[in-house]
Each structure stands twice: as structure tokens, then as C-alpha cells.
């Protein structure tokens, strides 16, 4: 995964360095992302999907005030990578009964036995009383391998190298664990068959006989996107509760395995990142992507976006309840500026119309200044102008290259408009009642 990390770190630093995010840089960035994902063995359809979505979202999504296009691009890349890795909801271990029985399945050499011990170690550290059962009576040495690991971790163990029936071993093992009041039992199975079909059939049999609470598929991360079809084959034989992808340390194709598996809809619970007993991690797409992009401040950026999105919802509520905010005022000024020169707009108005005094004094420059002031405010300030105190006024003035007096004048005008709007709303409501009569 190291090369993928380096690749994405380069993309991020490029996004931070380019002077502007225009169409050309966007195309370049998307091409860089494609190249990295291709190197990681991510399948072409997933790569095309992510490229299309990044491009589309950058074009269509509106930029909340106080954010740059650069930040939006980082956020979109982050979110799209999280999405292809399984989304924001990570796997959750739900131990709902005792003993809770987990059965590990997977093809030969995928890392079942090692992972069984790692998982036992992980759960023991969480405070559970854990037991391991060696239901692999096929591979010579399988029993000793797990027994040794169980001793190393310090958990309960059951196995019987003389018994030729794996199902019988599992049953007897469960009896033993029940007697010992073990709370989580992990059953290690054989991955003997090169032929997948035969293995799937056996797995089904074992599953029926033991009825485990969770079947965990162990997949070798070095096989890349092939992990997808393999996960699907297993899943159609027995519903897979969760997946563990192993050997992600140094696996250049790890990204391919993770995205292919996530696409099947199965939850990746853990990833194996080394041969040692403690090299198992709960898989959380969000923290995985944060690390991949190598940015500690990314989380803060995403949180700022989330906050802005929440304020967006609040704004919708404010509009629905008829509250007039600085955002509305800015919208009005902006559309006024788009209409053309002020003088011409004035000429178009009916001659007898008496304009408010403020309006007559207004010039293009003063409107632009007010827009600049409002652009220097945070979204929260625009929505709740009441919170703008002295220190905020000074900051806003500095940010917009104006004087604090200008900011104050704007706030006074806002309060006057707000009162006026209230009055107008009341009048309109009254006259609406009249208009209803005419079917308007
Ligand atoms: N680098 C690395 N090696 C791993 C990881 N997980 C397992 N291995 C290695 O992969 C090899 C096979 O692991 P096992 O746990 O024996 O695999 P298995 O699925 O039980 O194999 P069978 O019992 O033959 O089906 C061993 O050499 C492990 O040390 C991992 O996350 N990283
Ligand atoms: Mg094994």
C-alpha cells in the first residue's frame, strides 16, 4: 500500500500547489487518480465510475461561502474514495449472544489460521474470554500451528489431530468452550482444496452443522481485484457476515482487493497488515482514506464542510420560516448587479415611484463593497447576523479591505431591510387574502 500512499500524497500536494483549479488541472488530477488506482489493480469500471463522479461533482456542486474550489476537490476525492471502499458506516462487531461463534473460511493460504489467532488476540484485548478451535484436520501441522498461536495469545484452545471429521471436531470444541464459559469462539477451517467448488460445498456442510453466528471470509489481499469474484462465489454458497482482507502490508494490489470486495456489498471488518499477531486492524474506510491521502488536516476540512452543509439546511429552514438573512440580502445585491448598470435600472422604474433614500445614494461601488463585506463573513455570520460583534466586525473589515464603519453601515442597512421585509410580508399576507378572491 506504500506506493499507493505515495501516489496519492503527490496528487494532494499537486492540488495544493496549482494556482487555480480549472478544467485542465481537474482533468490532470483525474488522470493521476486513474493511474494510481490502476497500479493498485482497481478494476476499470470502478475507476471510470470514480472519475466520472469526481468530474461531475466538481462541476455541479455549489461551493459554500468560505471554501475554495481546491478544498471542494479534496473533499470530493476523499468522499469518492471512501465510497468505493465501502462507505462511511464501518463494520461493527455485535456480540449478541454467548458464546458468539465465528467461523473463518477461505482458500488455501489466504491467512485463516494466522487471522484466527490475530482476531482472538484483538478480542481478548477488548476484554472477551476467547477460544480457538482447530477444525482443520487436513493440513499436517495445522493443529500445532493454531495450538501454538493460542498459547502465545493466551486463549482457550480445542483440537484433536486424531479425529478425521472436521465437523465432529468443531462440535466437540463448541461443547468444551460452552463448559469453560467462553464468550467468543473462533473456528479455523481448512482451505485444502485448490478446487473452489469442493471447498464451497464443505463450507456449506460445516455451516449447517455448526450454525455459527458469523461466517468470516478471509481473502488474500495480494490477489487484487480477483478478490471480488472470489467473495461473490463464497457469498452465494453461504451468506458471508464479514470479510477480512489479509497481507495488505506491502501488497501493491491491496486497493484492488478492497474496492472489489466493497463493491459486492459485503462489509470488510478487518485488514491484516503483517505476520505478527497484533497486525490486525478494524477497517474504517474514512480513516483508511485519510491515511492514504496523508493529510492530518483533511478531517478538519471535512468537518468544516459538514458544518457548512448543516448551515445550508438551517438556511432552508430560515427561508421556510420567512426569516430574512444577510444571505438573502447578498443574493438580492448580486442579482441586482447582474441586471446591468444601476442608472439604467433606475430609468426603467416607473417615474412616480419613490425609492427609499438608501437606494438613491447607492452606487455600483458601494454595492460591490457590500458584497465584498458579505463575502468575508462566515456562513454562520450571514445566517445569524446577530452574532457579529466588535471583534468579528474588525476581522470582516480586514478581510474585505474595508473599514469597520462600512461593516457597521451594512449591518444597519440589513436591520432596516429586515424590518421592512417583515412589514411587507404582513402587508402581502393581508393583500393575498384579497387576491385569493380573484383566484390568484
Ligand atoms: N505479510 C503478511 N503475511 C500474512 C498475513 N496474514 C497471513 N500471512 C501469512 O500467510 C501465510 C499463510 O497463512 P495461514 O494463516 O497459514 O493461511 P491459511 O489460510 O490458514 O492456510 P491453509 O490452512 O493452508 O488454508 C503465512 O505465512 C502467514 O504468515 C498478513 O496480514 N501479512
Ligand atoms: Mg490454516
Amino acid at each position: 500500500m506504500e506506493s499507493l500512499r505515495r501516489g496519492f500524497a503527490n496528487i494532494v500536494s499537486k492540488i495544493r500547489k496549482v494556482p487555480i483549479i480549472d478544467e485542465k488541472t481537474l482533468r490532470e488530477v483525474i488522470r493521476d487518480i486513474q493511474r494510481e488506482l490502476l497500479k493498485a489493480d482497481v478494476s476499470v469500471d470502478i475507476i471510470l465510475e470514480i472519475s466520472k463522479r469526481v468530474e461531475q461533482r466538481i462541476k455541479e456542486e455549489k461551493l459554500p461561502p468560505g471554501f475554495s474550489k481546491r478544498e471542494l476537490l479534496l473533499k470530493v476525492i476523499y468522499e469518492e474514495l471512501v465510497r468505493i471502499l465501502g462507505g462511511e458506516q464501518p463494520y461493527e462487531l455485535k456480540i449478541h449472544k454467548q458464546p458468539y461463534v465465528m467461523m473463518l473460511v477461505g482458500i488455501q493460504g489466504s491467512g485463516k489460521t494466522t487471522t484466527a489467532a490475530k482476531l482472538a488476540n484483538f478480542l481478548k484485548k477488548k476484554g472477551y474470554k476467547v477460544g480457538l478451535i482447530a477444525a482443520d484436520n487436513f493440513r499436517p501441522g495445522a493443529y500445532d500451528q493454531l495450538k501454538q498461536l493460542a498459547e502465545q495469545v493466551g486463549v482457550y484452545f480445542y483440537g484433536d489431530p486424531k479425529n478425521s471429521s472436521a465437523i465432529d471436531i468443531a462440535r466437540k470444541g463448541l461443547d468444551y468452550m460452552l463448559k469453560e464459559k467462553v464468550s467468543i469462539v473462533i473456528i479455523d477451517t481448512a482451505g485444502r482444496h485448490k478446487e473452489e467448488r469442493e471447498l464451497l460445498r464443505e463450507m456449506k456442510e460445516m455451516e449447517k452443522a455448526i450454525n455459527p453466528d458469523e461466517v468470516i471470509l478471509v481473502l488474500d489481499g495480494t490477489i487484487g481485484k480477483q478478490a471480488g469474484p472470489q467473495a461473490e462465489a463464497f457469498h452465494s454458497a453461504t451468506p458471508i457476515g464479514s470479510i477480512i482482507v489479509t497481507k495488505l502490508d506491502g501488497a501493491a494490489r491491496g486497493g484492488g482487493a478492497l474496492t472489489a470486495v466493497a463493491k459486492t456489498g459485503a462489509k470488510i471488518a478487518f485488514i491484516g497488515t503483517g505476520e505478527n499477531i497484533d497486525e490486525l486492524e478494524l477497517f474504517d474506510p474514512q480513516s483508511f482514506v485519510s491515511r492514504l491521502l496523508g493529510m492530518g488536516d483533511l478531517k478538519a476540512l471535512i468537518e468544516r464542510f459538514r458544518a457548512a452543509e448543516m448551515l445550508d439546511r438551517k438556511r432552508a429552514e430560515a427561508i421556510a420560516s420567512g426569516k430574512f438573512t444577510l444571505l438573502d440580502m447578498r443574493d438580492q445585491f448580486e442579482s441586482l448587479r447582474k441586471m446591468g448598470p444601476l442608472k439604467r435600472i433606475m430609468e426603467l422604474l416607473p417615474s412616480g415611484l419613490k425609492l427609499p433614500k438608501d437606494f438613491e445614494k447607492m452606487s455600483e461601488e458601494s454595492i460591490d463593497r457590500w458584497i465584498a463585506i458579505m463575502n468575508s463573513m462566515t456562513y454562520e455570520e450571514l445566517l445569524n447576523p446577530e452574532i457579529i460583534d466588535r471583534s468579528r466586525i474588525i476581522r470582516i473589515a480586514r478581510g474585505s479591505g474595508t473599514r469597520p464603519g462600512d461593516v457597521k453601515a451594512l449591518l444597519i442597512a440589513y436591520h432596516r431591510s429586515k424590518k421592512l421585509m417583515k412589514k411587507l410580508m404582513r402587508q402581502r399576507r393581508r393583500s393575498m387574502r384579497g387576491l385569493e378572491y380573484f383566484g390568484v
Side-chain angles (χ1 to χ4, degrees):
M1 300 303 281
E2 207 34 56
S3 78
L4 191 62
R5 200 161 300 170
R6 232 173 301 126
F8 271 102
N10 283 339
I11 294 173
V12 168
S13 78
K14 182 171 178 177
I15 294 172
R16 288 180 181 255
K17 266 192 233 130
V18 289
I20 48 159
I21 306 289
D22 54 12
E23 235 173 272
K24 185 169 155 278
T25 32
L26 181 61
R27 259 202 312 274
E28 269 174 38
V29 166
I30 289 175
R31 210 170 312 131
D32 290 346
I33 293 174
Q34 289 175 335
R35 199 173 308 128
E36 285 310 319
L37 294 179
L38 208 56
K39 266 198 282 180
D41 196 40
V42 175
S43 76
V44 173
D45 60 325
I46 295 177
I47 296 178
L48 288 178
E49 184 186 309
I50 190 172
S51 321
K52 223 167 71 196
R53 284 182 58 101
V54 170
E55 196 182 348
Q56 203 169 357
R57 287 186 60 185
I58 294 302
K59 282 191 181 142
E60 285 170 9
E61 274 179 33
K62 116 174 162 278
L63 205 57
F67 289 91
S68 63
K69 195 119 184 202
R70 202 185 304 278
E71 288 170 324
L72 179 68
L73 181 57
L74 287 171
K75 179 190 96 132
V76 166
I77 292 173
Y78 169 85
E79 285 178 346
E80 288 304 319
L81 287 174
V82 169
R83 208 177 53 80
I84 60 168
L85 286 167
E88 284 182 13
Q89 212 55 55
Y91 163 85
E92 225 183 310
L93 190 69
K94 287 190 201 105
I95 310 292
H96 53 75
K97 65 181 260 287
Q98 197 160 317
Y100 187 77
V101 180
M102 295 171 146
M103 182 174 127
L104 260 49
V105 300
I107 64 162
Q108 198 166 43
S110 56
K112 290 177 298 299
T113 306
T114 316
T115 304
K118 285 179 178 180
L119 196 55
N121 180 56
F122 178 93
L123 294 168
K124 190 192 171 201
K125 279 197 179 142
K126 289 241 173 247
Y128 292 106
K129 191 169 170 180
V130 186
L132 283 167
I133 297 176
D136 175 3
N137 55 353
F138 180 81
R139 193 159 66 80
Y143 168 87
D144 291 325
Q145 187 193 2
L146 192 66
K147 186 167 191 275
Q148 243 171 43
L149 287 166
E151 273 162 20
Q152 190 191 332
V153 179
V155 292
Y156 289 81
F157 172 78
Y158 182 87
D160 182 359
K162 286 189 231 69
N163 192 336
S164 60
S165 159
I167 291 176
D168 195 45
I169 297 173
R171 278 211 186 103
K172 290 196 169 114
L174 280 176
D175 287 343
Y176 167 75
M177 297 298 170
L178 201 65
K179 212 171 72 226
E180 296 291 339
K181 295 194 168 52
V182 166
S183 50
I184 302 178
V185 180
I186 302 165
I187 303 174
D188 179 28
T189 63
R192 69 188 90 173
H193 300 281
K194 273 287 171 211
E195 228 229 289
E196 225 173 71
R197 210 157 14 134
E198 199 45 27
L199 177 64
L200 292 175
R201 197 185 53 75
E202 269 210 10
M203 187 189 95
K204 235 181 192 162
E205 238 171 68
M206 172 83 103
E207 203 261 346
K208 249 198 230 124
I210 305 300
N211 193 21
D213 299 294
E214 185 170 342
V215 176
I216 304 178
L217 174 62
V218 179
L219 285 172
D220 183 336
T222 59
I223 64 173
K225 60 176 172 256
Q226 276 313 310
Q230 207 179 99
E232 260 160 18
F234 271 90
H235 193 60
S236 61
T238 316
I240 300 295
S242 52
I243 290 178
I244 300 181
V245 181
T246 63
K247 308 182 195 178
L248 283 179
D249 45 311
R253 292 144 74 86
L258 292 172
T259 52
V261 171
K263 184 135 193 164
T264 66
K267 278 269 176 242
I268 302 172
F270 294 89
I271 53 175
T273 53
E275 296 197 39
N276 291 324
I277 215 75
D278 56 353
E279 285 171 317
L280 182 81
E281 291 173 25
L282 260 174
F283 182 66
D284 173 9
Q286 294 198 71
S287 63
F288 186 85
V289 173
S290 294
R291 262 187 300 162
L292 189 65
L293 297 180
M295 32 191 328
D297 54 346
L298 185 72
K299 210 172 156 110
L301 173 70
I302 302 299
E303 272 161 18
R304 279 211 297 128
F305 264 102
R306 293 283 140 90
E309 278 157 15
M310 207 175 73
L311 283 166
D312 219 17
R313 268 200 301 282
K314 278 200 203 149
R315 190 197 179 189
E317 282 165 23
I319 290 171
S321 68
K323 191 184 168 200
F324 179 71
T325 69
L326 276 172
L327 276 171
D328 302 310
M329 190 152 135
R330 189 178 60 178
D331 284 353
Q332 287 175 1
F333 279 144
E334 275 172 350
S335 42
L336 194 64
R337 288 297 279 123
K338 277 194 205 119
M339 278 162 73
L342 267 192
K343 219 168 143 263
R344 251 192 69 67
I345 298 170
M346 302 286 199
E347 280 165 14
L348 289 172
L349 294 171
S351 52
L353 194 78
K354 247 177 66 198
L355 285 168
K357 260 221 281 323
D358 286 341
F359 202 83
E360 279 171 8
K361 275 192 295 182
M362 243 188 246
S363 63
E364 267 112 13
E365 294 95 275
S366 65
I367 292 183
D368 288 345
R369 187 162 58 234
W370 280 11
I371 291 175
I373 290 173
M374 288 188 271
N375 282 342
S376 282
M377 292 178 178
T378 66
Y379 209 46
E380 194 150 19
E381 288 163 350
L382 290 166
L383 256 184
N384 297 305
E386 302 78 39
I387 64 167
I388 303 177
D389 56 10
R390 241 193 94 67
S391 70
R392 283 180 191 254
I393 287 178
I394 292 168
R395 193 210 78 231
I396 294 163
R398 200 173 298 142
S400 56
T402 59
R403 286 162 305 164
D406 296 322
V407 181
K408 276 187 212 153
L410 170 83
L411 290 173
I412 290 167
Y414 158 72
H415 284 295
R416 211 170 9 215
S417 308
K418 194 171 147 185
K419 259 192 226 138
L420 188 71
M421 288 299 272
K422 249 198 197 137
K423 212 166 94 189
L424 282 174
M425 287 289 272
R426 265 202 306 275
Q427 276 175 7
R428 217 182 96 198
R429 234 173 285 148
R430 225 173 291 137
S431 62
M432 284 289 269
R433 253 176 260 141
L435 284 172
E436 265 162 18
Y437 180 78
F438 297 101
V440 176

